[in-house]
Amino acid sequence: TTRAADISEQVAEGRILDQLIATSELLYPAVMVESEFLDGMRNLSQELESRGRSYEEYLLAMNVTEAQFEAQSRAEAEMRVKGFLVLSELARKYEMQATRDEMAEEFARQAMANKWSEADSTKYVRDRNMQSQVANAVIRRKLRAKLLEVVNLTTAAESID
C-alpha cells in the first residue's frame, strides 16, 4: 500500500475505534491509565533529551501550562488504554494471531524502515518485548482490515436499503 492509503486507513480505523469506544462499557483499573501516562512522559523526556531541549521549553513551544499538558496527556493515555482494550477484545473475538511468516515479514519491514544493522536485527528478533510489539503490529493490521471490511459491508448493505 502507498503511504497515503496507509494514512487513510489509519484515520478510518481511528474513527471506527472512537465509535466502538463510545458505545462500549469498558472497565479498567486506574493504574492502567497511570502506567500509560508515565510511559508517555518517559518517552517524551527521552525524546526531549535527545534533542537537547528541556520540558519547560517544550511547554512554551506548545503554548500550554504544565497542568494543561498533564491533563491532556492523561486523557490521551486513557483513550489509548480504551483503544487497547477494544482491540484486544476484537482480536479475541475474531481469533486473530500473528503467524511465524507474518512476524518474519513484519520484522523485515521494520528492519528496512529503521535501517537496522544485521546485529540489531538479530538482537531485536530474539527480544521478547520486540516480539510482542511486532505481533501486536501484525494483529492490529489484521484488525484494521477486518474493521474496514465490516464497515464497508455495513455501508453497502445500508445503501441497498
Side-chain angles (χ1 to χ4, degrees), residues 45-83:
S45 176
Q46 290 171 351
E47 184 178 331
L48 290 174
E49 186 178 319
S50 73
R51 294 181 181 193
R53 294 186 64 193
S54 71
Y55 180 62
E56 291 74 21
E57 290 171 325
Y58 178 77
L59 293 175
L60 278 172
M62 297 297 293
N63 197 28
V64 294
T65 66
E66 185 174 5
Q68 290 170 325
F69 180 74
E70 190 171 307
Q72 177 185 345
S73 296
R74 284 186 190 282
E76 290 169 357
E78 183 173 19
M79 285 303 291
R80 286 192 301 275
V81 166
K82 289 178 177 181

Side-chain angles (χ1 to χ4, degrees), residues 1-66:
T1 57
T2 66
R3 178 83 174 127
D6 211 28
I7 291 170
S8 177
E9 286 181 0
Q10 287 175 5
V11 169
E13 175 195 12
R15 289 181 181 155
I16 295 166
L17 194 55
D18 288 346
Q19 189 172 16
L20 288 170
I21 289 169
T23 58
S24 299
E25 184 177 331
L26 300 168
L27 303 174
Y28 51 89
V31 70
M32 285 181 78
V33 174
E34 185 65 17
S35 177
E36 185 69 21
F37 166 75
L38 292 174
D39 282 348
M41 294 301 286
R42 201 170 16 261
N43 290 341
L44 174 63
S45 176
Q46 290 171 351
E47 184 178 331
L48 290 174
E49 186 178 319
S50 73
R51 294 181 181 193
R53 294 186 64 193
S54 71
Y55 180 62
E56 291 74 21
E57 290 171 325
Y58 178 77
L59 293 175
L60 278 172
M62 297 297 293
N63 197 28
V64 294
T65 66
E66 185 174 5

Side-chain angles (χ1 to χ4, degrees), residues 66-112:
E66 185 174 5
Q68 290 170 325
F69 180 74
E70 190 171 307
Q72 177 185 345
S73 296
R74 284 186 190 282
E76 290 169 357
E78 183 173 19
M79 285 303 291
R80 286 192 301 275
V81 166
K82 289 178 177 181
F84 170 78
L85 293 172
V86 167
L87 290 174
S88 293
E89 179 59 24
L90 288 171
R92 188 191 61 72
K93 177 182 177 181
Y94 292 117
E95 298 178 358
M96 292 190 174
Q97 297 179 350
T99 67
R100 284 186 186 271
D101 288 345
E102 291 167 334
M103 294 275 294
E105 287 175 21
E106 181 63 20
F107 268 114
R109 189 189 69 70
Q110 288 193 19
M112 288 185 65

